[in-house]
């Protein structure tokens, strides 16, 4: 059974802290994605990776970075958390083909105080 | 710039009736379209998809229709069940870019 796991379901951090969100998939998928979901804005792509050590900016990369050292793991990093990064963060993965049928993790609700 | 638009934030339907969720897109390069369903506190789950070479795809109670000339697709759920109550996201992709473009979602409520 396909599985994407995220390190935390809920996280509370303070402004200025460095935050790591971890995502692991067990499907040997090539592609991995980070989205954020906000009310009235839907899902917006932050970054994605199509191979180890490869990354590409999504629609809203500002304030974020990513790391993919191993195929199964994709990390989202908030270098200095700000209150406007309070959101639901969703990780997804997909195979090389069909690349567009993505499998999502349960999400991490991040609150930045 | 929102390339995938779901103009109805919410929809309420009685159990047993048809639910029709609509989606419009602006990018003519999109060649694959998907619908995802999301329950609160869970990640979205893939529901059904359609390639741009087709105009209809059916899977059980769910049917997706694609009208390329109008840049419009719709998801039909027949018959609707209370368990279908969720947020539905329309998404689209183009071959050269692996990422999906999502709409803002439509919250469907199916009442008994």
């Amino acid at each position: 059974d396909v599985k994407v796991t995220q390190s935390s379901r809920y996280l509370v951090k303070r402004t200025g802290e460095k935050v790591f969100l971890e995502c692991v998939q067990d499907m040997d998928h090539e592609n991995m994605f980070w989205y954020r979901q906000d009310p009235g804005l839907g899902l917006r792509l932050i970054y994605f990776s199509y191979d180890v050590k490869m990354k590409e900016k999504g629609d809203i990369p500002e304030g974020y970075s990513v790391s993919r050292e191993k195929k199964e793991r994709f990390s989202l990093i908030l270098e200095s958390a700000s209150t406007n990064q309070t959101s639901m963060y969703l990780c997804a993965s997909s195979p090389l083909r069909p690349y567009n049928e993505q499998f999502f993790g349960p999400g991490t609700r991040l609150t930045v105080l | 710039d929102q390339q995938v638009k779901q103009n109805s934030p919410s929809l309420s339907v009685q159990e047993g009736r048809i639910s029709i969720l609509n989606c419009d897109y602006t990018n003519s390069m999109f060649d694959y379209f998907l619908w995802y369903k999301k329950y609160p506190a869970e990640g979205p789950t893939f529901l059904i998809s359609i390639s741009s070479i087709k105009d209809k795809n059916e899977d059980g109670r769910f049917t997706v229709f694609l009208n390329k000339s109008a840049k419009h697709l719709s998801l039909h759920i027949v018959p609707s069940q209370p368990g279908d109550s969720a947020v539905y996201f329309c998404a689209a992709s183009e071959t050269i870019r692996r990422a999906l473009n999502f709409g803002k979602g439509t919250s469907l409520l199916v009442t008994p």
Side-chain angles (χ1 to χ4, degrees), chain A residues 36-107:
Chain A
R36 63 179 281 178
Q37 183 195 1
D38 300 288
L41 296 176
L43 275 72
R44 294 181 292 165
L45 181 66
I46 304 171
Y47 267 97
F48 67 101
S49 167
Y50 48 89
D51 201 352
V52 175
K53 296 193 187 296
M54 305 301 286
K55 62 184 179 185
E56 204 166 308
K57 291 180 180 178
D59 301 316
I60 50 164
E62 297 79 18
Y64 303 95
S65 62
V66 290
S67 170
R68 193 162 180 206
E69 297 296 318
K70 293 185 177 181
K71 190 177 184 180
E72 67 271 18
R73 189 180 297 268
F74 191 34
S75 303
L76 180 70
I77 303 152
L78 288 66
E79 295 288 342
S80 177
S82 63
T83 54
N84 63 13
Q85 292 179 309
T86 292
S87 185
M88 168 70 86
Y89 289 88
L90 292 159
C91 175
S93 72
S94 71
L96 195 60
R97 288 181 181 84
Y99 58 84
N100 37 30
E101 289 183 16
Q102 297 179 10
F103 297 87
F104 283 82

Side-chain angles (χ1 to χ4, degrees), chain B residues 59-81:
Chain B
D59 183 1
R61 296 186 297 114
F62 302 92
T63 303
V64 57
F65 295 92
L66 176 63
N67 182 334
K68 287 187 292 293
S69 60
K71 294 193 178 71
H72 177 84
L73 65 156
S74 60
L75 174 68
H76 292 212
I77 307 173
V78 183
S80 301
Q81 299 173 353

Side-chain angles (χ1 to χ4, degrees), chain A residues 9-10 31 33 35 37 40-43 45 48 50 57-59 90 96 99-102 104-106, chain B residues 2 31-32 34 36 38 41-44 46 49 89 93-104:
Chain A
R9 293 299 301 269
Y10 300 93
N31 305 310
F33 308 82
Y35 295 88
Q37 183 195 1
L41 296 176
L43 275 72
L45 181 66
F48 67 101
Y50 48 89
K57 291 180 180 178
D59 301 316
L90 292 159
L96 195 60
Y99 58 84
N100 37 30
E101 289 183 16
Q102 297 179 10
F104 283 82
Chain B
Q2 195 86 17
D31 55 10
Y32 202 80
L34 307 92
Y36 281 81
K38 186 181 184 301
E42 293 184 16
F46 169 72
S49 63
F89 290 99
S93 67
E94 52 183 301
T95 305
I96 59 168
R97 191 168 184 256
R98 302 177 196 215
L100 292 175
N101 292 269
F102 282 88
K104 294 182 180 182

Side-chain angles (χ1 to χ4, degrees), chain B residues 2 4 7 17 21 24 35 38 41 53 64 72:
Chain B
Q2 195 86 17
V4 177
N7 292 320
R17 308 291 287 265
L21 293 90
D24 297 293
W35 285 94
K38 186 181 184 301
I53 62 172
V64 57
H72 177 84

